[in-house]
Amino acid sequence: MKNTIRDLRATRGWSQAHLAELLDVSRQTVIAIETGRYDPSLPLAFALARLFEQPIESIFFPDQETA
């Protein structure tokens, strides 16, 4: 799943480590989400949306492949 986490984080001047701390996850989890290698759980996606004050739909985009 594609996302805008890296851009949102950079806009706020946050490091990956800082975002991980705010979300209570590892830095490796943040890296994996940003690069699209890991799709966050629904609770984590909601936490990201709240943190960035954005609707989930404006942060996460499904891949073009159909399921």
Side-chain angles (χ1 to χ4, degrees):
M1 183 177 306
K2 298 179 186 207
N3 64 73
T4 60
I5 301 296
R6 181 176 289 149
D7 293 334
L8 291 167
R9 178 180 57 76
T11 298
R12 287 162 177 76
W14 295 347
S15 67
Q16 290 171 331
H18 181 68
L19 179 57
E21 185 178 313
L22 292 173
L23 295 169
D24 197 26
V25 299
S26 70
R27 181 173 166 266
Q28 288 76 18
T29 298
V30 170
I31 292 168
I33 292 170
E34 285 185 353
T35 59
R37 289 180 298 152
Y38 173 73
D39 292 337
S41 65
L42 196 52
L44 182 53
F46 274 108
L48 284 159
R50 277 192 304 273
L51 190 62
F52 290 119
E53 300 174 332
Q54 300 278 327
I56 288 177
E57 298 85 8
S58 71
I59 298 174
F60 296 98
F61 309 95
D63 290 329
Q64 297 299 343
E65 299 175 14
T66 56

